[in-house]
Amino acid sequence: MGICNESLVNWRKLHKEGKLGKEKQIFSDPIREELLRLRKELEETKLERDILKKAVGIFSKRDG
C-alpha cells in the first residue's frame, strides 16, 4: 500500500493510547482515496504516453 513501517507503528501506538480517534481516520480516508486515484491516473497517463511514443516511431519509419 505504500505505507512505511514507522507510520504503521506510530498509528498502532496512538490507537492503543486512545489518541487516534475517528475524526483523524475519517479525515485521512478522502485524502488516501484521492492519492490512490491520482496514482492510478498517473499510471494510465504514462501508459498512454508510451503507446503514443511507439506509434510515432512506427509512423516515422513508414514515412521515411
Side-chain angles (χ1 to χ4, degrees):
M1 291 188 179
I3 302 171
C4 68
N5 280 342
E6 272 187 321
S7 292
L8 293 173
V9 170
N10 287 334
W11 292 339
R12 186 174 179 197
K13 180 182 172 188
L14 290 172
H15 181 69
K16 283 184 178 181
E17 294 173 356
K19 295 180 182 176
L20 185 63
K22 290 183 180 180
E23 294 172 15
K24 290 183 180 179
Q25 292 172 353
I26 291 170
F27 180 72
S28 66
D29 286 345
I31 293 172
R32 185 172 181 199
E33 288 176 15
E34 178 72 3
L35 178 61
L36 293 173
R37 185 189 68 76
L38 290 171
R39 284 182 177 168
K40 181 179 178 182
E41 184 178 333
L42 178 60
E43 286 302 313
E44 290 174 359
T45 302
K46 285 180 179 180
L47 180 62
E48 291 171 359
R49 177 203 61 200
D50 293 342
I51 291 170
L52 288 172
K53 279 184 180 180
K54 289 178 184 179
V56 167
I58 291 169
F59 288 115
S60 295
K61 288 179 184 178
R62 285 186 184 176
D63 294 337

Short mmCIF file of all heavy atoms in Angstrom, two decimals:
data_model
loop_
_atom_site.label_atom_id
_atom_site.label_comp_id
_atom_site.label_asym_id
_atom_site.label_seq_id
_atom_site.Cartn_x
_atom_site.Cartn_y
_atom_site.Cartn_z
N MET A 1 0.81 -1.21 0.00
CA MET A 1 0.00 0.00 0.00
C MET A 1 0.85 1.26 0.00
O MET A 1 0.32 2.35 -0.09
CB MET A 1 -0.91 0.01 1.22
CG MET A 1 -1.99 -1.01 1.18
SD MET A 1 -3.10 -0.71 2.57
CE MET A 1 -4.25 -1.98 2.27
N GLY A 2 2.13 1.10 0.15
CA GLY A 2 2.99 2.27 0.12
C GLY A 2 3.07 3.01 1.44
O GLY A 2 3.42 4.19 1.47
N ILE A 3 2.76 2.34 2.54
CA ILE A 3 2.83 2.97 3.86
C ILE A 3 4.08 2.44 4.56
O ILE A 3 4.29 1.23 4.63
CB ILE A 3 1.59 2.63 4.71
CG1 ILE A 3 0.33 3.09 3.99
CG2 ILE A 3 1.68 3.25 6.09
CD1 ILE A 3 -0.96 2.61 4.63
N CYS A 4 4.91 3.35 5.07
CA CYS A 4 6.15 2.91 5.71
C CYS A 4 5.84 2.31 7.08
O CYS A 4 4.83 2.60 7.71
CB CYS A 4 7.15 4.04 5.81
SG CYS A 4 6.69 5.35 6.95
N ASN A 5 6.76 1.44 7.53
CA ASN A 5 6.57 0.75 8.80
C ASN A 5 6.46 1.71 9.97
O ASN A 5 5.69 1.47 10.91
CB ASN A 5 7.72 -0.23 9.05
CG ASN A 5 7.56 -1.52 8.29
OD1 ASN A 5 6.47 -1.85 7.84
ND2 ASN A 5 8.65 -2.25 8.14
N GLU A 6 7.24 2.80 9.94
CA GLU A 6 7.19 3.77 11.03
C GLU A 6 5.80 4.33 11.22
O GLU A 6 5.33 4.49 12.34
CB GLU A 6 8.17 4.92 10.77
CG GLU A 6 9.56 4.67 11.26
CD GLU A 6 10.41 5.92 11.10
OE1 GLU A 6 10.27 6.61 10.08
OE2 GLU A 6 11.19 6.19 12.01
N SER A 7 5.13 4.64 10.12
CA SER A 7 3.76 5.18 10.21
C SER A 7 2.83 4.17 10.84
O SER A 7 2.02 4.52 11.71
CB SER A 7 3.25 5.55 8.82
OG SER A 7 3.96 6.64 8.31
N LEU A 8 2.92 2.93 10.41
CA LEU A 8 2.05 1.89 10.98
C LEU A 8 2.30 1.72 12.47
O LEU A 8 1.36 1.59 13.26
CB LEU A 8 2.27 0.57 10.25
CG LEU A 8 1.81 0.53 8.80
CD1 LEU A 8 2.24 -0.78 8.14
CD2 LEU A 8 0.32 0.71 8.69
N VAL A 9 3.58 1.71 12.86
CA VAL A 9 3.91 1.56 14.29
C VAL A 9 3.36 2.73 15.09
O VAL A 9 2.77 2.55 16.15
CB VAL A 9 5.45 1.43 14.47
CG1 VAL A 9 5.83 1.53 15.93
CG2 VAL A 9 5.95 0.12 13.88
N ASN A 10 3.53 3.95 14.55
CA ASN A 10 3.03 5.14 15.26
C ASN A 10 1.51 5.12 15.36
O ASN A 10 0.95 5.44 16.41
CB ASN A 10 3.49 6.41 14.55
CG ASN A 10 4.96 6.69 14.76
OD1 ASN A 10 5.56 6.25 15.75
ND2 ASN A 10 5.57 7.39 13.82
N TRP A 11 0.83 4.75 14.28
CA TRP A 11 -0.63 4.71 14.31
C TRP A 11 -1.12 3.66 15.30
O TRP A 11 -2.10 3.87 16.01
CB TRP A 11 -1.19 4.40 12.93
CG TRP A 11 -0.98 5.51 11.93
CD1 TRP A 11 -0.73 6.82 12.19
CD2 TRP A 11 -0.99 5.39 10.51
NE1 TRP A 11 -0.58 7.51 11.02
CE2 TRP A 11 -0.75 6.67 9.97
CE3 TRP A 11 -1.20 4.33 9.64
CZ2 TRP A 11 -0.70 6.91 8.61
CZ3 TRP A 11 -1.15 4.57 8.29
CH2 TRP A 11 -0.90 5.84 7.78
N ARG A 12 -0.45 2.53 15.33
CA ARG A 12 -0.83 1.47 16.26
C ARG A 12 -0.66 1.95 17.71
O ARG A 12 -1.53 1.72 18.55
CB ARG A 12 0.00 0.23 16.00
CG ARG A 12 -0.43 -0.96 16.81
CD ARG A 12 0.34 -2.18 16.40
NE ARG A 12 -0.09 -3.30 17.22
CZ ARG A 12 0.57 -4.41 17.35
NH1 ARG A 12 1.70 -4.59 16.69
NH2 ARG A 12 0.13 -5.38 18.11
N LYS A 13 0.46 2.62 17.97
CA LYS A 13 0.72 3.14 19.31
C LYS A 13 -0.34 4.17 19.71
O LYS A 13 -0.89 4.12 20.81
CB LYS A 13 2.12 3.78 19.36
CG LYS A 13 2.49 4.36 20.69
CD LYS A 13 3.86 5.02 20.63
CE LYS A 13 4.13 5.76 21.92
NZ LYS A 13 5.35 6.56 21.84
N LEU A 14 -0.64 5.10 18.80
CA LEU A 14 -1.65 6.12 19.08
C LEU A 14 -3.02 5.48 19.30
O LEU A 14 -3.79 5.92 20.16
CB LEU A 14 -1.72 7.12 17.93
CG LEU A 14 -0.53 8.07 17.79
CD1 LEU A 14 -0.64 8.87 16.50
CD2 LEU A 14 -0.43 9.00 18.99
N HIS A 15 -3.33 4.45 18.53
CA HIS A 15 -4.62 3.76 18.68
C HIS A 15 -4.72 3.10 20.06
O HIS A 15 -5.75 3.19 20.72
CB HIS A 15 -4.79 2.74 17.58
CG HIS A 15 -6.09 2.00 17.65
ND1 HIS A 15 -7.30 2.61 17.39
CD2 HIS A 15 -6.37 0.71 17.96
CE1 HIS A 15 -8.27 1.72 17.54
NE2 HIS A 15 -7.74 0.57 17.87
N LYS A 16 -3.64 2.44 20.48
CA LYS A 16 -3.65 1.79 21.79
C LYS A 16 -3.79 2.80 22.91
O LYS A 16 -4.41 2.53 23.93
CB LYS A 16 -2.36 0.98 21.99
CG LYS A 16 -2.34 -0.33 21.26
CD LYS A 16 -1.09 -1.12 21.58
CE LYS A 16 -1.11 -2.46 20.88
NZ LYS A 16 0.10 -3.25 21.19
N GLU A 17 -3.20 3.99 22.73
CA GLU A 17 -3.28 5.05 23.74
C GLU A 17 -4.60 5.81 23.67
O GLU A 17 -4.87 6.66 24.51
CB GLU A 17 -2.12 6.02 23.57
CG GLU A 17 -0.77 5.41 23.84
CD GLU A 17 0.38 6.34 23.49
OE1 GLU A 17 0.14 7.44 22.96
OE2 GLU A 17 1.54 5.95 23.75
N GLY A 18 -5.41 5.51 22.68
CA GLY A 18 -6.70 6.18 22.53
C GLY A 18 -6.58 7.57 21.94
O GLY A 18 -7.51 8.37 22.03
N LYS A 19 -5.44 7.87 21.36
CA LYS A 19 -5.22 9.20 20.78
C LYS A 19 -5.55 9.27 19.30
O LYS A 19 -5.52 10.33 18.71
CB LYS A 19 -3.75 9.62 20.99
CG LYS A 19 -3.39 9.80 22.44
CD LYS A 19 -1.95 10.21 22.59
CE LYS A 19 -1.58 10.36 24.06
NZ LYS A 19 -0.15 10.65 24.20
N LEU A 20 -5.85 8.14 18.71
CA LEU A 20 -6.20 8.12 17.30
C LEU A 20 -7.71 7.92 17.21
O LEU A 20 -8.22 6.82 17.22
CB LEU A 20 -5.46 6.98 16.57
CG LEU A 20 -5.64 6.91 15.07
CD1 LEU A 20 -5.10 8.17 14.41
CD2 LEU A 20 -4.94 5.70 14.51
N GLY A 21 -8.41 9.05 17.12
CA GLY A 21 -9.86 8.99 17.10
C GLY A 21 -10.42 8.85 15.70
O GLY A 21 -9.71 8.87 14.71
N LYS A 22 -11.73 8.72 15.63
CA LYS A 22 -12.41 8.58 14.35
C LYS A 22 -12.27 9.82 13.49
O LYS A 22 -12.28 9.74 12.28
CB LYS A 22 -13.88 8.23 14.56
CG LYS A 22 -14.09 6.85 15.10
CD LYS A 22 -15.56 6.53 15.23
CE LYS A 22 -15.74 5.13 15.79
NZ LYS A 22 -17.15 4.78 15.92
N GLU A 23 -12.13 10.99 14.12
CA GLU A 23 -12.00 12.23 13.36
C GLU A 23 -10.78 12.17 12.44
O GLU A 23 -10.84 12.53 11.29
CB GLU A 23 -11.87 13.42 14.30
CG GLU A 23 -13.10 13.69 15.12
CD GLU A 23 -12.85 14.75 16.18
OE1 GLU A 23 -11.85 15.45 16.11
OE2 GLU A 23 -13.68 14.85 17.08
N LYS A 24 -9.67 11.70 12.97
CA LYS A 24 -8.45 11.62 12.17
C LYS A 24 -8.59 10.55 11.10
O LYS A 24 -8.11 10.72 9.99
CB LYS A 24 -7.24 11.33 13.05
CG LYS A 24 -6.87 12.49 13.95
CD LYS A 24 -5.63 12.18 14.75
CE LYS A 24 -5.28 13.35 15.65
NZ LYS A 24 -4.10 13.08 16.46
N GLN A 25 -9.23 9.45 11.41
CA GLN A 25 -9.39 8.37 10.44
C GLN A 25 -10.31 8.81 9.31
O GLN A 25 -10.03 8.53 8.16
CB GLN A 25 -9.94 7.12 11.12
CG GLN A 25 -8.96 6.49 12.08
CD GLN A 25 -9.59 5.37 12.90
OE1 GLN A 25 -10.81 5.15 12.84
NE2 GLN A 25 -8.79 4.68 13.66
N ILE A 26 -11.39 9.49 9.64
CA ILE A 26 -12.32 9.97 8.62
C ILE A 26 -11.63 10.99 7.73
O ILE A 26 -11.78 10.99 6.52
CB ILE A 26 -13.59 10.57 9.27
CG1 ILE A 26 -14.41 9.46 9.94
CG2 ILE A 26 -14.43 11.32 8.25
CD1 ILE A 26 -15.53 9.96 10.80
N PHE A 27 -10.81 11.86 8.34
CA PHE A 27 -10.12 12.89 7.58
C PHE A 27 -9.12 12.28 6.61
O PHE A 27 -8.96 12.74 5.50
CB PHE A 27 -9.39 13.85 8.54
CG PHE A 27 -8.65 14.94 7.84
CD1 PHE A 27 -9.32 15.98 7.23
CD2 PHE A 27 -7.26 14.92 7.78
CE1 PHE A 27 -8.63 16.98 6.58
CE2 PHE A 27 -6.57 15.92 7.13
CZ PHE A 27 -7.26 16.96 6.53
N SER A 28 -8.45 11.21 7.02
CA SER A 28 -7.42 10.63 6.17
C SER A 28 -8.00 9.78 5.04
O SER A 28 -7.34 9.61 4.03
CB SER A 28 -6.45 9.79 7.00
OG SER A 28 -7.10 8.67 7.53
N ASP A 29 -9.21 9.27 5.19
CA ASP A 29 -9.78 8.42 4.14
C ASP A 29 -9.95 9.14 2.81
O ASP A 29 -9.53 8.60 1.78
CB ASP A 29 -11.08 7.80 4.61
CG ASP A 29 -10.89 6.68 5.62
OD1 ASP A 29 -9.75 6.19 5.75
OD2 ASP A 29 -11.87 6.31 6.26
N PRO A 30 -10.54 10.33 2.76
CA PRO A 30 -10.66 11.02 1.47
C PRO A 30 -9.30 11.35 0.86
O PRO A 30 -9.12 11.27 -0.36
CB PRO A 30 -11.44 12.30 1.79
CG PRO A 30 -12.13 12.02 3.06
CD PRO A 30 -11.27 11.04 3.80
N ILE A 31 -8.34 11.70 1.70
CA ILE A 31 -7.00 12.01 1.20
C ILE A 31 -6.38 10.76 0.61
O ILE A 31 -5.78 10.80 -0.46
CB ILE A 31 -6.13 12.59 2.33
CG1 ILE A 31 -6.66 13.96 2.74
CG2 ILE A 31 -4.66 12.69 1.89
CD1 ILE A 31 -6.00 14.54 3.96
N ARG A 32 -6.54 9.66 1.28
CA ARG A 32 -5.98 8.39 0.79
C ARG A 32 -6.65 7.98 -0.52
O ARG A 32 -5.99 7.53 -1.45
CB ARG A 32 -6.16 7.31 1.84
CG ARG A 32 -5.50 6.03 1.46
CD ARG A 32 -5.52 5.07 2.61
NE ARG A 32 -4.85 3.86 2.21
CZ ARG A 32 -4.99 2.72 2.80
NH1 ARG A 32 -5.76 2.61 3.85
NH2 ARG A 32 -4.36 1.66 2.38
N GLU A 33 -7.96 8.13 -0.58
CA GLU A 33 -8.69 7.79 -1.81
C GLU A 33 -8.22 8.66 -2.97
O GLU A 33 -8.03 8.17 -4.08
CB GLU A 33 -10.19 7.96 -1.60
CG GLU A 33 -10.80 6.90 -0.72
CD GLU A 33 -12.28 7.15 -0.45
OE1 GLU A 33 -12.88 7.98 -1.16
OE2 GLU A 33 -12.81 6.52 0.48
N GLU A 34 -8.03 9.96 -2.70
CA GLU A 34 -7.55 10.87 -3.74
C GLU A 34 -6.14 10.48 -4.19
O GLU A 34 -5.84 10.49 -5.38
CB GLU A 34 -7.56 12.31 -3.22
CG GLU A 34 -7.03 13.34 -4.19
CD GLU A 34 -7.96 13.61 -5.36
OE1 GLU A 34 -9.07 13.05 -5.42
OE2 GLU A 34 -7.58 14.39 -6.24
N LEU A 35 -5.30 10.11 -3.25
CA LEU A 35 -3.94 9.69 -3.59
C LEU A 35 -3.97 8.44 -4.47
O LEU A 35 -3.26 8.37 -5.49
CB LEU A 35 -3.14 9.41 -2.31
CG LEU A 35 -1.71 8.91 -2.51
CD1 LEU A 35 -0.87 9.92 -3.26
CD2 LEU A 35 -1.09 8.58 -1.16
N LEU A 36 -4.78 7.48 -4.11
CA LEU A 36 -4.90 6.26 -4.91
C LEU A 36 -5.44 6.55 -6.31
O LEU A 36 -4.97 6.01 -7.30
CB LEU A 36 -5.78 5.23 -4.20
CG LEU A 36 -5.22 4.67 -2.89
CD1 LEU A 36 -6.28 3.78 -2.21
CD2 LEU A 36 -3.95 3.88 -3.14
N ARG A 37 -6.43 7.45 -6.38
CA ARG A 37 -7.00 7.83 -7.67
C ARG A 37 -5.95 8.51 -8.54
O ARG A 37 -5.81 8.20 -9.73
CB ARG A 37 -8.19 8.77 -7.47
CG ARG A 37 -8.91 9.11 -8.77
CD ARG A 37 -9.94 10.20 -8.59
NE ARG A 37 -9.37 11.50 -8.28
CZ ARG A 37 -8.77 12.29 -9.19
NH1 ARG A 37 -8.66 11.92 -10.44
NH2 ARG A 37 -8.28 13.46 -8.83
N LEU A 38 -5.18 9.41 -7.94
CA LEU A 38 -4.16 10.11 -8.70
C LEU A 38 -3.04 9.19 -9.16
O LEU A 38 -2.52 9.34 -10.27
CB LEU A 38 -3.59 11.27 -7.87
CG LEU A 38 -4.53 12.44 -7.65
CD1 LEU A 38 -3.95 13.42 -6.64
CD2 LEU A 38 -4.85 13.15 -8.95
N ARG A 39 -2.67 8.23 -8.32
CA ARG A 39 -1.65 7.26 -8.72
C ARG A 39 -2.12 6.42 -9.90
O ARG A 39 -1.36 6.16 -10.84
CB ARG A 39 -1.28 6.36 -7.55
CG ARG A 39 -0.39 7.04 -6.53
CD ARG A 39 -0.02 6.10 -5.43
NE ARG A 39 0.88 6.75 -4.49
CZ ARG A 39 1.19 6.27 -3.31
NH1 ARG A 39 0.68 5.11 -2.92
NH2 ARG A 39 2.02 6.92 -2.52
N LYS A 40 -3.40 6.01 -9.86
CA LYS A 40 -3.95 5.22 -10.96
C LYS A 40 -4.00 6.06 -12.24
O LYS A 40 -3.63 5.58 -13.32
CB LYS A 40 -5.36 4.74 -10.59
CG LYS A 40 -6.00 3.89 -11.65
CD LYS A 40 -7.37 3.43 -11.22
CE LYS A 40 -8.04 2.62 -12.32
NZ LYS A 40 -9.39 2.20 -11.95
N GLU A 41 -4.42 7.31 -12.11
CA GLU A 41 -4.48 8.20 -13.26
C GLU A 41 -3.09 8.43 -13.85
O GLU A 41 -2.90 8.46 -15.07
CB GLU A 41 -5.10 9.53 -12.85
CG GLU A 41 -5.30 10.50 -13.99
CD GLU A 41 -5.96 11.80 -13.56
OE1 GLU A 41 -6.71 11.79 -12.56
OE2 GLU A 41 -5.70 12.82 -14.22
N LEU A 42 -2.09 8.57 -12.99
CA LEU A 42 -0.72 8.76 -13.45
C LEU A 42 -0.22 7.54 -14.23
O LEU A 42 0.39 7.68 -15.29
CB LEU A 42 0.21 9.03 -12.26
CG LEU A 42 1.69 9.19 -12.57
CD1 LEU A 42 1.92 10.37 -13.52
CD2 LEU A 42 2.48 9.36 -11.29
N GLU A 43 -0.50 6.36 -13.73
CA GLU A 43 -0.09 5.14 -14.42
C GLU A 43 -0.75 5.04 -15.79
O GLU A 43 -0.12 4.67 -16.77
CB GLU A 43 -0.41 3.90 -13.58
CG GLU A 43 0.53 3.71 -12.41
CD GLU A 43 1.98 3.60 -12.83
OE1 GLU A 43 2.28 2.84 -13.77
OE2 GLU A 43 2.82 4.29 -12.22
N GLU A 44 -2.05 5.36 -15.86
CA GLU A 44 -2.77 5.33 -17.13
C GLU A 44 -2.18 6.34 -18.12
O GLU A 44 -2.01 6.05 -19.30
CB GLU A 44 -4.26 5.60 -16.92
CG GLU A 44 -4.99 4.48 -16.21
CD GLU A 44 -6.43 4.83 -15.88
OE1 GLU A 44 -6.88 5.95 -16.19
OE2 GLU A 44 -7.10 3.97 -15.29
N THR A 45 -1.85 7.52 -17.61
CA THR A 45 -1.28 8.57 -18.45
C THR A 45 0.09 8.15 -18.97
O THR A 45 0.41 8.38 -20.14
CB THR A 45 -1.18 9.89 -17.66
OG1 THR A 45 -2.48 10.24 -17.19
CG2 THR A 45 -0.64 11.01 -18.52
N LYS A 46 0.89 7.53 -18.11
CA LYS A 46 2.20 7.04 -18.55
C LYS A 46 2.06 5.98 -19.63
O LYS A 46 2.80 5.97 -20.61
CB LYS A 46 2.98 6.46 -17.36
CG LYS A 46 3.55 7.50 -16.43
CD LYS A 46 4.30 6.82 -15.30
CE LYS A 46 4.92 7.80 -14.35
NZ LYS A 46 5.66 7.12 -13.26
N LEU A 47 1.09 5.10 -19.46
CA LEU A 47 0.84 4.05 -20.45
C LEU A 47 0.43 4.67 -21.79
O LEU A 47 0.95 4.29 -22.84
CB LEU A 47 -0.23 3.09 -19.95
CG LEU A 47 -0.59 1.93 -20.87
CD1 LEU A 47 0.61 1.03 -21.10
CD2 LEU A 47 -1.75 1.13 -20.27
N GLU A 48 -0.47 5.63 -21.74
CA GLU A 48 -0.91 6.31 -22.96
C GLU A 48 0.27 7.01 -23.63
O GLU A 48 0.43 6.96 -24.85
CB GLU A 48 -2.01 7.32 -22.64
CG GLU A 48 -3.32 6.70 -22.24
CD GLU A 48 -4.33 7.71 -21.74
OE1 GLU A 48 -4.01 8.92 -21.67
OE2 GLU A 48 -5.45 7.30 -21.40
N ARG A 49 1.11 7.67 -22.84
CA ARG A 49 2.28 8.36 -23.39
C ARG A 49 3.22 7.37 -24.09
O ARG A 49 3.69 7.63 -25.20
CB ARG A 49 3.04 9.06 -22.26
CG ARG A 49 4.32 9.76 -22.72
CD ARG A 49 5.30 9.97 -21.62
NE ARG A 49 5.71 8.69 -21.06
CZ ARG A 49 6.26 8.56 -19.85
NH1 ARG A 49 6.43 9.60 -19.08
NH2 ARG A 49 6.63 7.37 -19.41
N ASP A 50 3.46 6.24 -23.44
CA ASP A 50 4.35 5.24 -24.03
C ASP A 50 3.78 4.68 -25.33
O ASP A 50 4.51 4.47 -26.30
CB ASP A 50 4.62 4.11 -23.04
CG ASP A 50 5.42 4.58 -21.83
OD1 ASP A 50 6.05 5.65 -21.90
OD2 ASP A 50 5.42 3.86 -20.80
N ILE A 51 2.48 4.46 -25.36
CA ILE A 51 1.84 3.96 -26.58
C ILE A 51 1.97 4.99 -27.71
O ILE A 51 2.30 4.64 -28.85
CB ILE A 51 0.35 3.62 -26.32
CG1 ILE A 51 0.26 2.39 -25.43
CG2 ILE A 51 -0.41 3.42 -27.62
CD1 ILE A 51 -1.14 2.10 -24.90
N LEU A 52 1.75 6.26 -27.39
CA LEU A 52 1.87 7.30 -28.40
C LEU A 52 3.30 7.43 -28.91
O LEU A 52 3.53 7.65 -30.11
CB LEU A 52 1.38 8.64 -27.84
CG LEU A 52 -0.13 8.75 -27.65
CD1 LEU A 52 -0.48 10.04 -26.91
CD2 LEU A 52 -0.86 8.68 -28.97
N LYS A 53 4.28 7.30 -28.02
CA LYS A 53 5.68 7.35 -28.45
C LYS A 53 5.98 6.22 -29.44
O LYS A 53 6.65 6.43 -30.45
CB LYS A 53 6.62 7.21 -27.24
CG LYS A 53 6.83 8.48 -26.47
CD LYS A 53 7.84 8.24 -25.37
CE LYS A 53 8.10 9.47 -24.54
NZ LYS A 53 9.08 9.21 -23.47
N LYS A 54 5.49 5.03 -29.14
CA LYS A 54 5.71 3.89 -30.04
C LYS A 54 5.02 4.12 -31.37
O LYS A 54 5.57 3.81 -32.44
CB LYS A 54 5.22 2.60 -29.39
CG LYS A 54 6.08 2.14 -28.24
CD LYS A 54 5.55 0.88 -27.61
CE LYS A 54 6.38 0.49 -26.40
NZ LYS A 54 5.86 -0.71 -25.75
N ALA A 55 3.81 4.67 -31.35
CA ALA A 55 3.08 4.93 -32.58
C ALA A 55 3.82 5.95 -33.44
O ALA A 55 3.92 5.79 -34.66
CB ALA A 55 1.67 5.43 -32.27
N VAL A 56 4.35 6.99 -32.81
CA VAL A 56 5.11 8.00 -33.56
C VAL A 56 6.32 7.34 -34.20
O VAL A 56 6.64 7.60 -35.36
CB VAL A 56 5.53 9.17 -32.63
CG1 VAL A 56 6.58 10.04 -33.30
CG2 VAL A 56 4.31 10.00 -32.25
N GLY A 57 6.99 6.47 -33.47
CA GLY A 57 8.15 5.77 -34.02
C GLY A 57 7.78 4.90 -35.20
O GLY A 57 8.48 4.88 -36.23
N ILE A 58 6.68 4.20 -35.11
CA ILE A 58 6.23 3.32 -36.19
C ILE A 58 5.87 4.14 -37.43
O ILE A 58 6.29 3.82 -38.55
CB ILE A 58 5.03 2.46 -35.74
CG1 ILE A 58 5.48 1.43 -34.70
CG2 ILE A 58 4.36 1.78 -36.92
CD1 ILE A 58 4.34 0.71 -33.99
N PHE A 59 5.10 5.22 -37.25
CA PHE A 59 4.69 6.02 -38.39
C PHE A 59 5.86 6.78 -38.99
O PHE A 59 5.89 7.05 -40.19
CB PHE A 59 3.55 6.96 -38.01
CG PHE A 59 2.24 6.25 -37.81
CD1 PHE A 59 1.62 6.22 -36.57
CD2 PHE A 59 1.64 5.58 -38.87
CE1 PHE A 59 0.42 5.56 -36.40
CE2 PHE A 59 0.43 4.91 -38.69
CZ PHE A 59 -0.17 4.90 -37.46
N SER A 60 6.83 7.14 -38.19
CA SER A 60 8.01 7.83 -38.71
C SER A 60 8.82 6.92 -39.62
O SER A 60 9.37 7.36 -40.63
CB SER A 60 8.91 8.32 -37.56
OG SER A 60 8.25 9.29 -36.80
N LYS A 61 8.90 5.64 -39.27
CA LYS A 61 9.64 4.69 -40.10
C LYS A 61 8.93 4.46 -41.43
O LYS A 61 9.55 4.29 -42.45
CB LYS A 61 9.79 3.36 -39.35
CG LYS A 61 10.76 3.42 -38.21
CD LYS A 61 10.86 2.10 -37.49
CE LYS A 61 11.75 2.20 -36.28
NZ LYS A 61 11.81 0.94 -35.54
N ARG A 62 7.61 4.45 -41.42
CA ARG A 62 6.82 4.24 -42.65
C ARG A 62 7.02 5.40 -43.62
O ARG A 62 7.11 5.21 -44.82
CB ARG A 62 5.34 4.10 -42.34
CG ARG A 62 4.97 2.79 -41.74
CD ARG A 62 3.46 2.72 -41.61
NE ARG A 62 3.05 1.52 -40.94
CZ ARG A 62 1.81 1.23 -40.63
NH1 ARG A 62 0.85 2.10 -40.92
NH2 ARG A 62 1.49 0.12 -40.03
N ASP A 63 7.04 6.62 -43.07
CA ASP A 63 7.17 7.80 -43.92
C ASP A 63 8.57 7.94 -44.50
O ASP A 63 8.74 8.49 -45.58
CB ASP A 63 6.82 9.08 -43.13
CG ASP A 63 5.35 9.12 -42.72
OD1 ASP A 63 4.55 8.43 -43.38
OD2 ASP A 63 5.03 9.85 -41.78
N GLY A 64 9.55 7.43 -43.78
CA GLY A 64 10.94 7.62 -44.20
C GLY A 64 11.42 6.52 -45.03
O GLY A 64 11.80 6.33 -46.08
#
